[in-house]
Amino acid sequence: MSAEPTETATESSPEPRADIAVTGLAVMGANLARNFARHGYVVAVHNRSAERTESLLAEHGDEGEFVGTETLAELVAELKRPRRVLVMVAAGAVDAVIAELAELLEPGDVVIDGGNSHYPDTIRREQALAERGLHFVGVGVSGGEDGALNGPAIMPGGSPASYQSLGPMLEDIAADFQGDPCCAWIGPNGAGHYVKMVHNGIEYADMQVIGEAYDLMRQVAGISPAEQAEIFATWNTTQLESYLIDITAQVLGHIDATTGKPLVDVIVDSAGQKGTGRWTAISGLDIGSGVAAIAESVFARTVSSQRQVRAQAQQLLSAGAEPVTIDDREAFIDDVAQALYASKLVSYAQGIDMLTTAAATYDWPLDIGTIASLWRNGCIIRARLLDEIMQAYGGRDVTRHPDPQNSGAGDYPANLLFAPKFTEAITATLPAWRRVVATGVAAGVPVPVFSSALAWYDQMRAERLPAALTQGLRDYFGAHTYQRVDRHGSFHTLWSQDRSEIEH
């Protein structure tokens, strides 16, 4: 239902009356503005092109109280103090909008970036605005268009003081899980956007292993998309229960109206990406956290997009694979389910390792129990598994308020898989997981994340790794030294001389 536009700034009363402002009214910005309004907040809205502002007011003005404005100056003038401005503009315009707002705002006001900004940019922006007495809050928002309107998972960074002002509003519009808001203060400066980035990295891996499970069942066992829709729907009643498993069943069961074929057979097999998965892989390398499964999922999307090269490869490169016969289809399906669960566990374990490593690197009080609880609803990776992860990391007070003195360390397991529940769970999957990877390799069906996750698992539990030889080679050609297992210190062999050993 449409409504007459709410009054514009020039018609408004002299006293500021808006509780929060939103600039940038593409779908995500518009839906967040509507979400605030539906929760009783007066929302000032602005867009560079006035048509979007007018459209929002005309189509959704009856959902709450909006104040339409034509300029950022008018937007700021409509806000009660402390002023809170949510920036939802395209990535390339964020700095320009922030610069303009900084000239209009006063100390104590809050600028919020709700887009998928890269966390180093958030750190930089927070430092720059802090010098002017302004609060800058990088907010991770997950849940897509529907979540923005009906309740996303929200991961706000920024100063503790900014959360005192902004936090209750964000908690109001967030998704909830059994009555608890999927929003809590994450940590200072770039912490919120960092956690959202890792969320997206896990999401990349999660989708890739689902795709590999589908491909194996299709290519090796000949199971049709319609049959797989039923399989995934059944899996969604098990330990695999999640939003992504649920929508996989729906996508696989959908028939294209034009061709009558399964929609999945009509979609071009090239997966896009917007950068957050790539940032996760790069950050893992930067801070020394081994996120191979997540990185492999990013590479899988990259390979999928190289369609011209792939077309040549199909003509020139042979599989060298023997046909694989599945004698017991139900047993194979169960094996794939177990391999999928194990690979998902590894992707979460790698993401959580990134978070604990980043907490130490950037001095952020990241609380894994808190973060896991935020992801239980509203976001893309919401899953039954997250409640178990939350418990493994000590639970939380879901309405946790900023405590910069909290190190976030707690009595956490050093790795997710060391928690007894998950040690048992992944041990139970190992025979099936190994059979599935071996079947994929034998059949020539690519399983990059299934196999990468298993290789990571085996690396973690190995008594000795070939890194000893790697370090010996490094010492040979670059005098990089090595350590010994039998005494302390750093050593170098004089390879080009008498090959005696010296201590550095």
Side-chain angles (χ1 to χ4, degrees):
M1 179 186 298
S2 63
E4 290 300 317
T6 317
E7 62 183 300
T8 64
T10 55
E11 299 166 337
S12 65
S13 59
E15 288 296 318
R17 55 197 176 91
D19 300 300
I20 193 165
V22 180
T23 178
L25 300 178
V27 176
M28 286 293 290
N31 281 3
L32 286 169
R34 293 169 61 194
N35 194 346
F36 279 115
R38 289 178 174 187
H39 281 82
Y41 295 105
V42 179
V43 185
V45 291
H46 165 267
N47 195 76
R48 184 173 57 84
S49 58
E51 291 80 6
R52 280 188 172 168
T53 307
E54 294 165 0
S55 175
L56 172 66
L57 298 177
E59 295 176 21
H60 305 291
D62 60 343
E63 295 181 350
E65 190 170 357
F66 297 94
V67 181
T69 66
E70 296 181 358
T71 67
L72 287 178
E74 291 178 6
L75 189 78
V76 169
E78 288 292 348
L79 285 166
K80 300 174 186 174
R81 289 178 173 79
R83 303 178 181 99
R84 293 164 286 233
V85 183
L86 173 59
V87 178
M88 294 298 297
V89 300
V94 173
D95 280 320
V97 171
I98 290 173
E100 187 173 351
L101 285 170
E103 297 299 324
L104 299 167
L105 297 172
E106 298 175 353
D109 292 341
V110 185
V111 178
I112 311 127
D113 176 10
N116 273 334
S117 290
H118 199 193
Y119 74 94
D121 291 330
T122 305
I123 294 172
R124 169 179 57 81
R125 291 161 180 159
E126 193 272 342
Q127 291 173 342
L129 291 192
E131 293 175 0
R132 307 178 69 129
L134 300 173
H135 298 288
F136 184 76
V137 179
V139 176
V141 180
S142 179
E145 299 172 9
D146 180 72
L149 180 62
N150 298 308
I154 304 179
M155 295 149 266
S159 66
S162 68
Y163 195 81
Q164 298 300 327
S165 166
L166 180 64
M169 300 178 70
L170 296 179
E171 290 175 13
D172 278 351
I173 70 162
D176 72 79
F177 184 83
Q178 298 178 354
D180 295 319
C182 293
C183 173
W185 182 71
I186 298 297
N189 51 66
H193 275 144
Y194 193 93
V195 169
K196 173 58 177 4
M197 177 192 74
V198 173
H199 164 284
N200 284 20
I202 295 171
E203 176 188 312
Y204 272 53
D206 209 342
M207 284 193 282
Q208 177 63 26
V209 291
I210 288 171
E212 291 175 20
Y214 153 76
D215 204 31
L216 278 167
M217 290 191 289
R218 185 85 183 269
Q219 303 297 334
V220 176
I223 303 174
S224 70
E227 292 175 292
Q228 289 204 43
E230 296 180 6
I231 291 168
F232 275 93
T234 299
W235 285 353
N236 202 43
T237 64
T238 69
Q239 62 187 0
L240 285 169
E241 179 187 352
S242 69
Y243 171 72
L244 285 171
I245 294 290
D246 177 33
I247 66 172
T248 297
Q250 296 183 48
V251 171
L252 289 175
H254 189 68
I255 301 300
D256 175 53
T258 303
T259 64
K261 298 178 180 178
L263 179 64
V264 72
D265 288 345
V266 178
I267 298 173
V268 172
D269 62 336
S270 176
Q273 54 182 304
K274 293 188 175 179
T276 48
R278 177 170 54 84
W279 292 343
T280 308
I282 293 170
S283 178
L285 290 170
D286 285 342
I287 65 175
S289 177
V291 291
I294 292 173
E296 200 64 58
S297 69
V298 178
F299 294 140
R301 293 198 189 188
T302 302
V303 171
S304 78
S305 68
Q306 296 176 307
R307 299 188 70 238
Q308 291 184 339
V309 177
R310 287 172 51 213
Q312 293 180 46
Q314 290 161 32
Q315 300 298 318
L316 298 173
L317 305 181
S318 63
E322 296 293 331
V324 174
T325 302
I326 301 299
D327 295 322
D328 187 336
R329 195 172 86 151
E330 293 307 313
F332 180 67
I333 291 170
D334 183 62
D335 277 359
V336 172
Q338 292 190 60
L340 174 57
Y341 182 69
S343 299
K344 284 164 67 76
L345 278 182
V346 166
S347 67
Y348 277 95
Q350 291 181 358
I352 290 170
D353 184 73
M354 269 196 76
L355 294 177
T356 56
T357 305
T361 302
Y362 298 109
D363 195 25
W364 289 335
L366 302 185
D367 185 288
I368 303 302
T370 296
I371 292 165
S373 73
L374 303 188
W375 292 345
R376 291 180 299 170
N377 198 12
C379 70
I380 304 304
I381 65 170
R382 59 187 183 266
R384 178 190 300 186
L385 174 64
L386 282 157
D387 195 51
E388 298 167 348
I389 292 174
M390 173 186 148
Q391 297 307 318
Y393 284 85
R396 76 179 273 237
D397 170 9
V398 182
T399 55
R400 183 174 82 101
H401 289 286
D403 180 8
Q405 304 307 312
N406 174 16
S407 68
D411 296 320
Y412 297 164
N415 185 280
L416 173 67
L417 299 187
F418 300 169
K421 180 179 182 63
F422 294 118
T423 303
E424 283 181 31
I426 204 159
T427 299
T429 70
L430 285 169
W433 194 7
R434 294 190 189 282
R435 285 194 296 268
V436 166
V437 171
T439 298
V441 172
V445 176
V447 285
V449 177
F450 274 178
S451 55
S452 173
L454 180 57
W456 175 88
Y457 176 87
D458 283 336
Q459 283 180 298
M460 292 291 286
R461 59 162 203 86
E463 183 178 353
R464 288 279 290 173
L465 291 171
L469 176 57
T470 301
Q471 196 62 21
L473 297 175
R474 294 183 72 238
D475 186 62
Y476 190 106
F477 66 71
H480 292 292
T481 76
Y482 51 85
Q483 295 177 320
R484 297 178 57 96
V485 298
D486 53 359
R487 61 182 187 269
H488 295 295
S490 295
F491 301 88
H492 169 58
T493 293
L494 301 172
W495 298 102
S496 61
Q497 300 176 38
D498 61 0
R499 299 202 172 188
S500 60
E501 183 180 74
I502 63 173
E503 185 170 3
H504 273 237

